[in-house]
């Protein structure tokens, strides 16, 4: 599968290639890996097969591969996939329409708050993709927004590496969807991203999972951001 969708309400600025959802390839090459590999490794069996949906440049892919996981990395941006290292293979195309036939994985991962897609049809497609590709007895790992993500804007955080991430605004555009504007500032470069995001309460999030044939097994982090779900 190949091709890139034009995604309404998504845009980005800054040096280098910008993907259809407003992500800057060079920005994501610079952003450091945080605790994602630790959270994931603690929640799944060692050496598991992993389907990573929305892998970007492979910031998490590489560390997982180094820990012995067998990762199939999926992204709709060929420019992002060019930088992925350590994956068993890469697959280029929209996540919501991914179909790898009879192939199933011990772990399916949907990070980067993708479950908050502004278009409900896209969100439901993402979750169906997770359900379709998880093995019997397997798990789906999801990353959702923290409770305070949209509160107190604008707000910013400067990281030890020296860059600043600033969530500038989250403006309602109708039907429960916000247009979120984020800035990333480095000493030598600046990027912006604007994207559409639908706020999901814990109850609505769990209802969306149920509609896709998944149920929460447990929340992996105290802030509720990382979730382990299992097929029903």
């Amino acid at each position: 599968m190949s091709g890139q969708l034009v995604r309404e309400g998504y845009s980005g600025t800054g040096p280098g290639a910008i993907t259809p959802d407003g992500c800057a390839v060079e920005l994501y090459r610079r952003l450091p890996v945080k605790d994602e590999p630790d959270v994931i490794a603690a929640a799944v069996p060692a050496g598991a097969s992993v389907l990573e949906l929305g892998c970007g440049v492979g910031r998490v892919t590489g560390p997982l591969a180094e820990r012995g996981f067998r990762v199939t990395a999926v992204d709709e941006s060929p420019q992002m996939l060019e930088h992925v290292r350590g994956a068993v293979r890469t697959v280029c195309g929209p996540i919501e329409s991914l179909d790898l036939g009879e192939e199933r994985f011990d772990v399916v991962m949907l990070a980067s708050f993708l479950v908050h897609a502004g278009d409900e049809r896209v969100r439901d497609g993402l979750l169906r993709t997770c359900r379709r590709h998880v093995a019997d007895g397997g798990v789906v790992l999801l990353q959702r927004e923290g409770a305070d993500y949209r509160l107190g804007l604008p707000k910013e955080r400067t990281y030890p590496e020296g860059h600043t991430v600033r969530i500038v605004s989250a403006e309602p555009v109708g039907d429960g969807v916000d247009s979120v504007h984020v800035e990333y500032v480095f000493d030598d470069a600046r990027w912006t991203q604007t994207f559409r995001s639908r706020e999901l309460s814990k109850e609505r999030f769990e209802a969306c999972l149920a509609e896709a044939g998944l149920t929460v097994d447990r929340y992996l982090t105290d802030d509720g951001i990382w979730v382990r779900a299992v097929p029903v």
Side-chain angles (χ1 to χ4, degrees):
M1 59 193 297
S2 63
Q4 292 181 276
L5 299 178
V6 175
R7 297 195 180 274
E8 182 181 358
Y10 293 72
S11 62
T13 66
I18 306 291
T19 67
D21 61 355
C23 292
V25 175
E26 179 59 30
L27 166 63
Y28 280 88
R29 291 186 67 194
R30 293 189 183 202
L31 290 178
V33 179
K34 297 185 244 184
D35 64 349
E36 296 98 332
D38 294 332
V39 173
I40 295 160
V44 303
S49 61
V50 178
L51 179 64
E52 184 185 2
L53 302 174
C55 66
V57 296
R59 291 167 52 244
V60 175
T61 313
L64 290 180
E66 290 171 1
R67 295 174 187 231
F69 294 102
R70 294 165 286 126
V71 185
T72 294
V74 179
D75 203 276
E76 70 177 4
S77 167
Q79 296 99 328
M80 289 282 195
L81 290 175
E82 287 175 4
H83 301 285
V84 173
R85 300 292 181 268
V88 173
R89 75 181 191 278
T90 61
V91 179
C92 185
I95 299 166
E96 61 267 32
S97 58
L98 179 71
D99 188 347
L100 297 179
E102 298 301 313
E103 194 167 4
R104 300 292 181 269
F105 297 82
D106 302 321
V107 181
V108 178
M109 189 169 68
L110 186 71
S112 302
F113 310 133
L114 292 176
V115 73
H116 291 272
D119 188 328
E120 290 183 297
R121 294 168 299 179
V122 170
R123 179 202 63 217
D124 294 343
L126 298 176
L127 293 175
R128 285 194 299 269
T129 293
C130 292
R131 178 64 182 88
R132 182 163 57 245
H133 292 92
V134 66
D136 293 340
V139 299
V140 176
L141 302 183
L142 306 105
Q143 189 181 33
R144 56 190 287 267
E145 291 178 359
D148 63 346
Y149 182 77
R150 303 170 198 234
L151 300 179
L153 303 184
K155 60 184 176 183
E156 66 179 46
R157 179 178 176 184
T158 299
Y159 289 84
E161 295 81 8
H163 67 282
T164 297
V165 178
R166 182 178 299 121
I167 304 176
V168 179
S169 59
E171 299 294 336
V173 294
D175 190 34
V177 177
D178 289 340
S179 176
V180 181
H181 184 69
V182 184
E183 297 177 351
Y184 302 85
V185 182
F186 290 72
D187 288 340
D188 62 339
R190 175 179 175 274
W191 287 271
T192 72
Q193 183 183 12
T194 299
F195 57 94
R196 292 191 175 175
S197 178
R198 182 180 297 274
E199 196 165 8
L200 295 175
S201 66
K202 182 179 178 182
E203 293 74 22
R204 183 59 188 142
F205 168 72
E206 293 183 357
C208 291
L209 293 186
E211 291 164 10
L214 298 166
T215 188
V216 171
D217 176 56
R218 61 187 171 95
Y219 288 83
L220 299 173
T221 50
D222 292 340
D223 55 18
I225 290 178
W226 278 97
V227 186
R228 186 170 78 173
V230 294
V232 176

